[in-house]
Amino acid sequence: METPANLPDLASAAQRLSDVVRDVHDSQLDDLTPCEGRTVSQLLAHLHGLTQAFRASADKELGPLTDTNPDQQGWPQASPGWREEVPRHAGRLATAWQRPEAWTGMTRAGGFDAPAEVMGVVALSEIVLHGWDLARATGQEFVPDDPSVAVLTSYVEGFDPSGTPGMFGPAVDVRWATDFDRVLARTGRDPGWQAPGPG
């Protein structure tokens, strides 16, 4: 099934995220990520939860998966099976948002209600931005497809440059940047972030 031309297609981003997850080594689980104070293991657990929540959001399956703030219990460690489970849920998320009806009406994720057409873009931003976080923390590349970058560029233009508490830090100043670098910077990420070395 193909997503109609006027709607974002999350399949490419979900595949890129899945490829990164599968190449994370067990020895990297305690490493830090660009998400301040969060480890690779905690980020994997976050991805495990959000991919399920945004799939349910697309299906209008409102309930425990969509009604819970993912951070209200802190960031737990990844559960066994994450290397298979996160890609599986990412694929289901992408498939769910390929249905035109997923983008109509109202829906919910993280305990917040929003128009489905907005929530679909939020879902795209979550898998792209956290896909980049995970890739950067584990020495991998995450280069999203051009259509996803174009959608996210429009999305982040509405962000307050001073940051959004609980979501994004203050925008980072970048020069000579790619379009995706500018998206990262507007969400408070440093496109040049590198994992700390040993010790």
Side-chain angles (χ1 to χ4, degrees), residues 56-186:
S57 181
D59 290 337
K60 312 297 195 298
E61 185 184 301
L62 307 186
L65 288 175
T66 61
D67 296 355
T68 305
N69 182 327
D71 296 331
Q72 69 181 14
Q73 301 297 330
W75 284 45
Q77 303 299 315
S79 57
W82 55 264
R83 190 173 282 109
E84 295 77 31
E85 288 292 303
V86 175
R88 182 170 70 85
H89 289 302
R92 292 185 66 198
L93 177 155
T95 298
W97 284 103
Q98 286 179 323
R99 296 182 301 104
E101 57 269 31
W103 297 84
T104 63
M106 295 290 291
T107 192
R108 183 181 306 143
F112 292 96
D113 293 318
E117 62 189 271
V118 173
M119 201 67 81
V121 175
V122 175
L124 176 65
S125 74
E126 288 288 317
I127 58 177
V128 168
L129 296 173
H130 283 318
W132 179 87
D133 292 332
L134 184 63
R136 188 51 60 99
T138 57
Q140 301 183 63
E141 291 294 324
F142 188 97
V143 182
D145 58 295
D146 290 342
S148 292
V149 173
V151 170
L152 295 180
T153 296
S154 296
Y155 173 58
V156 302
E157 282 177 353
F159 290 7
D160 185 339
S162 65
T164 304
M167 292 182 63
F168 304 109
V172 175
D173 184 31
V174 293
R175 296 186 175 87
W176 308 107
T178 67
D179 289 342
F180 184 46
D181 286 342
R182 294 186 182 94
V183 169
L184 293 169
R186 193 60 183 263

Side-chain angles (χ1 to χ4, degrees), residues 24-47:
V24 173
H25 300 294
D26 290 343
S27 61
Q28 296 175 309
L29 292 176
D30 292 331
D31 292 352
L32 293 177
T33 71
C35 302
E36 186 174 358
R38 309 303 184 185
T39 65
V40 167
S41 178
Q42 291 172 318
L43 180 54
L44 286 164
H46 188 63
L47 283 162

